[in-house]
Amino acid sequence: MPGPGAFLVGEEERREVEEILQSGYLSRYGSLDNPDFKRKVATLEEMFAGIIGVKHCLAVNGGTSAIMASLAALGIQPGAEIIVPGYTYIATMSAVIAVGGVPVLAEIDESLTLDPDDVRRKITDKTQGVIPVHMLGNPCDMDRIMKTAREHRLFVLEDGCQALGAGYKGKRVGSFGDMAAFSLNVNKTITAGDGGLAVTDNKRLYERAFGFHDQGHIPSLLGVEFGARTILGLNLKLNELTGAFAIGQLRKLDRIVQTLKVKKKLFKDAITAGGIRNMEFRKINDPDECHTILTVLFRDARTARRVSQSLDTIPVADSGWHVYSNMEHLLAYKDEDGNRPYRCHMLPQTDDILSRAVNLSVGVVDPGIGASFGINILSKDQEIQRKAKMFVDTVKSIVD
Ligand SMILES: *Cc1c(COP(=O)(O)O)cnc(C)c1O
């Protein structure tokens, strides 16, 4: 079950894709002299950079690839420590390991995003960077994270995969760090099935990311070889069909976020009016968040478990590969010295918060993040009121 963009696939995407089907030209590279070449991927990149408010954007084949290309561009030293939150999709960790870095897990706070105090505590002389992840559409506390990073000369790569469309202090997330990564998989704000975007204001970083995404190529529309390569790369390219589809979705982004904002407010207000005691909403770091999820925090884990069971969902702590202690392959990972750096219960604050948290869907309906109960972007007022009442009655039958 998908994110809001997936609910709204329609005419706009069809028209964009139709152009490519008719021309039959699928590669992102081509000559402007060729009328069959529609430059969809290049157009997507320009539009996306404009929306985030940065100079450069590189489209790739997934969010994981966007993180890897960004890390490669930033130049990970072998064995460099990169601070990541213990609550994020596993791709944040696996991408770091894939390019030779070592993820160092840090706590989250009651915003369910990286705890800036713990970032400070986790810095060692091997730390090279930090990846703040804007989890469930909530922007991280970027002021404090950027301040710490600058003081310690660390790079900041924003993982915005779950927060496309969110803003922080008047700017879009993705425009604060040295680089940022976004995803177009089916559970995100908008989708193209798969796809990713890496953004930056720094031309050199963009050129290196571009090279990494295609065998060291220097950025060009034509993709022809010129000059000496400075970076070894892979092939993480996006094709024109996916690029075209993504353009159709990207045009809907503002409408999606505005619609979710209205629906989330209705849902939240109706729940608040229910007068549940001993329950809070998670801390939101900026009201300009994505509005994709409504997270509630109970006083104890037992209540969260009983409430979620009654609603046929799960507490956030049980949501598969978003919680470090549920990532069996990460826990089994051995470093060069044969040590296992990752253990269950190594982040007690994160464990406590997630055990008390329940995600209610607003825009993203995804059992993978524990958000199978709630509303979606198509829910009408009556359904929103009904779901809020169902939630309130369920909690009251358990708590009161
Ligand atoms: C989805 C996601 C990714 C990975 O994106 P893909 O497009 O699935 O590769 C990375 N980080 C976070 C936080 C995500 O939610």
Side-chain angles (χ1 to χ4, degrees):
M1 276 203 266
F7 281 89
L8 303 177
V9 174
E11 189 57 28
E12 300 85 342
E13 292 82 354
R14 203 184 62 73
R15 260 203 311 272
E16 289 288 338
V17 169
E18 193 72 47
E19 260 189 78
I20 301 301
L21 292 176
Q22 270 165 20
S23 77
Y25 195 106
L26 296 173
S27 165
R28 71 155 294 155
Y29 295 128
S31 163
L32 290 176
D33 298 338
N34 181 349
D36 284 338
F37 176 46
K38 304 296 180 197
R39 299 179 80 250
K40 293 294 180 189
V41 173
T43 304
L44 172 69
E45 291 171 338
E46 287 159 15
M47 284 171 69
F48 200 87
I51 285 170
I52 303 298
V54 292
K55 293 198 187 108
H56 308 281
C57 172
L58 170 71
V60 290
N61 58 4
T64 311
S65 302
I67 301 174
M68 275 172 53
S70 300
L71 289 169
L74 288 157
I76 297 288
Q77 307 296 323
E81 294 181 358
I82 312 298
I83 298 175
V84 305
Y87 178 52
T88 178
Y89 185 52
I90 186 159
T92 319
M93 288 89 163
S94 55
V96 170
I97 294 172
V99 298
V102 178
V104 169
L105 307 191
E107 300 275 13
I108 55 155
D109 62 23
E110 294 205 340
S111 68
L112 272 64
T113 69
L114 199 52
D115 177 353
D117 290 325
D118 203 43
V119 170
R120 218 172 252 285
R121 284 192 287 268
K122 293 283 156 67
I123 294 171
T124 72
D125 51 13
K126 289 192 191 146
T127 310
Q128 201 189 334
V130 189
I131 308 185
V133 185
H134 306 298
M135 275 306 274
L136 311 170
N138 190 13
C140 293
D141 183 343
M142 291 309 289
D143 280 350
R144 290 181 60 207
I145 291 168
M146 291 307 294
K147 183 165 177 283
T148 301
R150 294 300 176 238
E151 271 169 33
H152 294 266
R153 295 174 174 276
L154 308 176
F155 71 69
V156 174
L157 165 59
E158 289 175 74
D159 182 339
C161 289
Q162 295 192 9
L164 174 57
Y168 177 80
K169 309 253 164 120
K171 284 168 60 184
R172 296 272 185 158
V173 303
S175 62
F176 292 87
D178 300 283
M179 295 195 78
F182 292 91
S183 162
L184 298 174
N185 97 16
V186 292
N187 294 311
K188 315 303 190 193
T189 322
I190 61 166
T191 186
D194 265 310
L197 301 126
V199 297
T200 180
D201 261 333
N202 183 312
K203 183 156 181 270
R204 196 184 128 266
L205 291 176
Y206 163 68
E207 287 173 353
R208 286 176 56 89
F210 194 101
F212 186 80
H213 116 290
D214 190 15
Q215 313 295 359
H217 272 312
I218 290 153
S220 86
L221 194 60
L222 282 170
V224 293
E225 296 180 23
F226 56 86
R229 304 297 186 275
T230 56
I231 185 169
L232 273 168
L234 303 172
N235 174 13
L236 311 173
K237 293 201 301 296
L238 196 71
N239 65 66
E240 290 284 280
L241 269 176
T242 310
F245 195 100
I247 288 173
Q249 284 266 300
L250 194 54
R251 293 211 179 96
K252 298 177 179 174
L253 177 65
D254 283 342
R255 204 173 90 212
I256 288 173
V257 176
Q258 283 315 310
T259 306
L260 293 179
K261 183 177 182 177
V262 173
K263 295 196 193 277
K264 182 174 181 176
K265 185 172 185 313
L266 270 178
F267 194 36
K268 190 175 174 181
D269 287 352
I271 290 174
T272 305
I276 298 169
R277 285 178 287 137
N278 299 329
M279 187 197 84
E280 296 166 49
F281 297 103
R282 80 162 157 164
K283 185 174 135 208
I284 295 294
N285 289 321
D286 193 296
D288 202 9
E289 55 134 347
C290 246
H291 314 284
T292 39
I293 295 286
L294 178 61
T295 307
V296 295
L297 292 164
F298 293 98
R299 192 177 272 184
D300 57 72
R302 193 164 159 270
T303 309
R305 187 163 304 282
R306 289 180 61 200
V307 168
S308 19
Q309 262 165 8
S310 302
L311 296 171
D312 210 11
T313 178
I314 50 173
V316 181
D318 293 352
S319 58
W321 294 340
H322 287 79
V323 182
Y324 74 99
S325 50
N326 299 337
M327 301 174 185
E328 68 279 7
H329 33 1
L330 184 74
L331 299 176
Y333 173 79
K334 285 187 190 165
D335 65 18
E336 280 171 12
D337 306 322
N339 298 319
R340 290 207 169 98
Y342 310 107
R343 285 169 289 103
C344 284
H345 311 305
M346 67 192 291
L347 299 174
Q349 179 178 310
T350 299
D351 294 352
D352 170 57
I353 293 167
L354 296 182
S355 74
R356 295 185 289 111
V358 177
N359 282 335
L360 308 179
S361 66
V362 177
V364 173
V365 187
D366 175 13
I369 56 167
S372 42
F373 177 85
I375 60 169
N376 65 60
I377 192 157
L378 302 177
S379 297
K380 300 272 187 296
D381 290 6
Q382 210 180 358
E383 188 197 346
I384 297 174
Q385 298 298 339
R386 190 172 60 78
K387 285 286 171 65
K389 183 170 186 314
M390 197 170 150
F391 177 76
V392 170
D393 291 349
T394 303
V395 177
K396 283 188 167 173
S397 75
I398 287 163
V399 180
D400 290 352

